[in-house]
Amino acid sequence: MASMIVASSNAKPLSPLPIPSQSPKPRIQIPQIKIPSSEKIPQKLLKLSSSALKSLSAVAVTSLAFSPPSLAAEIEKAALFDFNLTLPIIMVEFLVLMFALDKIYYSPLGNFMDERDNAIKEKLNSVKDTSEEVKQLEEQAAAVMRAARAEISAALTKMKKETQLEVEQKLAVGRKKIEAELQEALANLERQKEDTIKSLDSQIAALSEEIVRKVLPVQ
Amino acid sequence: MNVLSCSMNTLRGLYDISGVEVGQHFYWQIGGFQVHAQVLITSWVVIAILLGSAFIAVRNPQTVPTATQNFFEYVLEFIRDVSKTQIGEEYGPWVPFIGTLFLFIFVSNWSGALLPWKIIELPHGELAAPTNDINTTVALALLTSIAYFYAGLSKKGLGYFSKYIQPTPILLPINILEDFTKPLSLSFRLFGNILADELVVVVLVSLVPLVVPIPVMFLGLFTSGIQALIFATLAAAYIGESMEGHH
């Protein structure tokens, strides 16, 4: 095909050469280029440099020589606008493809995407709502903390008082005990003093006699 | 002369590789009717690619999408966006039609440019993009016509036909003509673009086999995508136009 294109494009400047040809098909003209009858060539075209003419015709000839002989016949049959049963078959194929793609692609994936979009939207909305909730919770937490602190301080003061009371009690008890012991000890001492004094009294007479005897030995 | 024939020889070799056969068809006979087998074969491949990839990607959708699922979600959102901008709020039921138009044309066009169809040899003609054949494009364009008539009639009943004399009855012939020009322009635009695209690449490859055709090939991929988008967008626009109220 491409060779045909080249050939025909090359043949164009030459096509008026042979004759005002009667045949409408350009590929029938082309073989005639090989034998251009010099008498029929218009004078105008003869003015072309002969070398250029030669090369042009050479191109035409070579390209023709390479194209298979059946090519001309094949291209004559070329049917660009050849309508036939292909058209309705393609229509049916297209409709089948449409329904199949709808079943396996557009509908499932579309629904899936819509559902996901909705889910994401819901989640976003719920997140916005929970910001309120979070505030409430924070307030609650703060209240709980305050209550706990108050409770703790109350308990602390109560415990302080209790322990102080206890300590004081214990202190008082200790003091009493010590005082009692002191009293006892003092009483003991007093008694011992008295005892000692008594015993001293009883001994005083003997002692004084003894002293007298010693002082006054000879009587 | 030597140089010339030598280069012709090399070119000849390249033609064999790059040759495209315009208007050559590989015919099958089905019940006395002829079909273009190459178009059917490539369309089956395209349909298989679409269904297979979609099935694999969407089989088990994840909340956090994987790479392929993400791609298919992107494509679906793109299709929905096209439908929504052209049709309006009631675009939902038309997503499969618009989407399939876009995907089928897009994958067809790119398959013509990217898949190595030449490996498979046919007795006659050759495998190429299905949109390379006028039958395919006309089939799609006719389906579009049917679709927008159906959309209008199901939305407004017979009142749909009042649009033909809408601004003024003088425009009646032009309005009727529109119903013919719409599928005509749709089908020929796609057909011409894809065919011309492949031809340009082939001719360029045959003239300059290296480097130079590459930008044109990329341009071809680009136009292929654009054509698919244009076809789908116009179809959606026609449907939206026939559904919209005049008041």
Side-chain angles (χ1 to χ4, degrees):
Chain A
M1 174 54 217
S3 67
M4 268 314 297
I5 290 166
V6 175
S8 57
S9 67
N10 280 329
K12 257 174 202 162
L14 289 172
S15 56
L17 277 184
I19 14 137
S21 82
Q22 311 86 329
S23 83
K25 303 260 158 58
R27 59 198 57 79
I28 298 171
Q29 292 173 355
I30 295 164
Q32 294 171 349
I33 300 159
K34 285 186 207 168
I35 33 157
S37 50
S38 53
E39 308 92 50
K40 285 184 181 176
I41 295 171
Q43 287 296 319
K44 230 198 299 179
L45 279 170
L46 270 179
K47 281 174 198 163
L48 282 168
S49 75
S50 62
S51 66
L53 235 169
K54 261 184 195 169
S55 63
L56 273 176
S57 61
V59 168
V61 167
T62 39
S63 63
L64 255 183
F66 285 126
S67 56
S70 62
L71 197 62
E74 276 180 19
I75 284 179
E76 281 210 13
K77 283 197 301 182
L80 277 182
F81 301 100
D82 183 20
F83 293 103
N84 52 28
L85 198 65
T86 319
L87 195 154
I89 290 179
I90 291 283
M91 274 176 144
V92 172
E93 276 184 10
F94 179 84
L95 291 176
V96 169
L97 177 69
M98 187 171 92
F99 283 110
L101 273 185
D102 189 35
K103 279 279 168 298
I104 68 170
Y105 179 22
Y106 306 125
S107 295
L109 193 63
N111 289 340
F112 180 77
M113 283 161 66
D114 291 344
E115 276 168 22
R116 188 176 53 195
D117 278 1
N118 288 336
I120 289 172
K121 264 180 205 158
E122 267 174 30
K123 269 184 193 165
L124 271 177
N125 285 337
S126 68
V127 163
K128 268 176 203 160
D129 287 349
T130 47
S131 69
E132 294 275 316
E133 212 174 301
V134 162
K135 258 185 202 166
Q136 275 184 352
L137 280 178
E138 269 175 359
E139 276 169 21
Q140 265 183 4
V144 166
M145 285 292 280
R146 249 178 283 135
R149 269 201 199 110
E151 207 175 304
I152 286 171
S153 61
L156 212 67
T157 45
K158 195 180 156 198
M159 214 149 91
K160 259 185 198 165
K161 268 180 200 164
E162 273 174 11
T163 36
Q164 212 164 0
L165 225 82
E166 211 174 309
V167 163
E168 272 168 18
Q169 265 178 4
K170 273 184 185 166
L171 221 64
V173 169
R175 235 178 244 152
K176 262 181 204 166
K177 207 173 163 188
I178 289 169
E179 254 168 54
E181 272 172 18
L182 200 69
Q183 291 292 337
E184 207 180 335
L186 281 177
N188 268 349
L189 273 178
E190 199 71 22
R191 222 182 307 132
Q192 277 175 7
K193 206 171 87 185
E194 273 169 24
D195 283 352
T196 335
I197 290 173
K198 259 180 216 166
S199 64
L200 275 178
D201 276 346
S202 60
Q203 284 176 359
I204 279 174
L207 273 176
S208 49
E209 269 177 33
E210 207 171 318
I211 291 168
V212 167
R213 233 184 290 140
K214 278 186 181 172
V215 173
L216 307 170
V218 201
Q219 272 179 357
Chain B
M1 270 314 290
N2 255 340
V3 176
L4 206 68
S5 63
C6 203
S7 65
M8 287 308 289
N9 256 328
T10 51
L11 281 182
R12 159 84 179 138
L14 288 166
Y15 297 157
D16 286 341
I17 305 166
S18 62
V20 67
E21 296 162 23
V22 177
Q24 306 288 298
H25 303 296
F26 173 40
Y27 288 101
W28 279 346
Q29 293 281 342
I30 296 180
F33 294 100
Q34 283 188 321
V35 295
H36 294 166
Q38 87 275 15
V39 176
L40 293 185
I41 292 169
T42 45
S43 71
W44 293 337
V45 173
V46 167
I47 288 171
I49 291 172
L50 279 174
L51 289 181
S53 58
F55 179 72
I56 291 169
V58 188
R59 182 175 40 178
N60 181 20
Q62 306 288 318
T63 312
V64 178
T66 56
T68 39
Q69 190 194 334
N70 206 1
F71 176 72
F72 275 80
E73 282 183 13
Y74 169 72
V75 171
L76 182 55
E77 284 197 344
F78 176 75
I79 291 164
R80 280 181 163 185
D81 192 45
V82 168
S83 318
K84 198 174 181 179
T85 33
Q86 299 301 330
I87 298 177
E89 280 310 312
E90 296 171 43
Y91 73 99
W94 292 103
V95 165
F97 183 70
I98 305 299
T100 314
L101 268 183
F102 175 74
L103 288 178
F104 181 70
I105 295 172
F106 186 81
V107 176
S108 292
N109 293 350
W110 273 40
S111 79
L114 296 178
L115 292 186
W117 294 118
K118 297 268 176 195
I119 293 171
I120 306 159
E121 287 217 0
L122 293 182
H124 193 67
E126 62 175 12
L127 294 174
T131 37
N132 204 353
D133 192 278
I134 191 82
N135 285 289
T136 313
T137 59
V138 168
L140 298 180
L142 284 181
L143 281 175
T144 306
S145 292
I146 294 169
Y148 78 70
F149 267 102
Y150 169 76
L153 286 174
S154 65
K155 178 95 187 287
K156 300 186 212 155
L158 286 178
Y160 169 68
F161 291 107
S162 69
K163 77 154 188 178
Y164 286 104
I165 50 164
Q166 207 48 55
T168 144
I170 300 168
L171 289 179
L172 177 68
I174 290 177
N175 283 333
I176 292 175
L177 207 60
E178 254 194 354
D179 281 333
F180 293 96
T181 55
K182 277 173 183 172
L184 210 64
S185 66
L186 272 184
S187 58
F188 274 67
R189 181 184 305 112
L190 182 58
F191 170 63
N193 267 294
I194 302 309
L195 188 69
D197 190 47
E198 295 199 349
L199 275 184
V200 163
V201 170
V202 163
V203 169
L204 262 185
V205 166
S206 68
L207 292 176
V208 191
L210 292 175
V211 183
V212 176
I214 292 173
V216 182
M217 287 172 182
F218 278 111
L219 185 71
L221 287 182
F222 179 67
T223 25
S224 300
I226 292 289
Q227 286 309 318
L229 179 60
I230 286 176
F231 201 109
T233 310
L234 280 179
Y238 294 155
I239 291 168
E241 190 185 321
S242 66
M243 279 169 74
E244 77 182 358
H246 299 290
H247 313 294

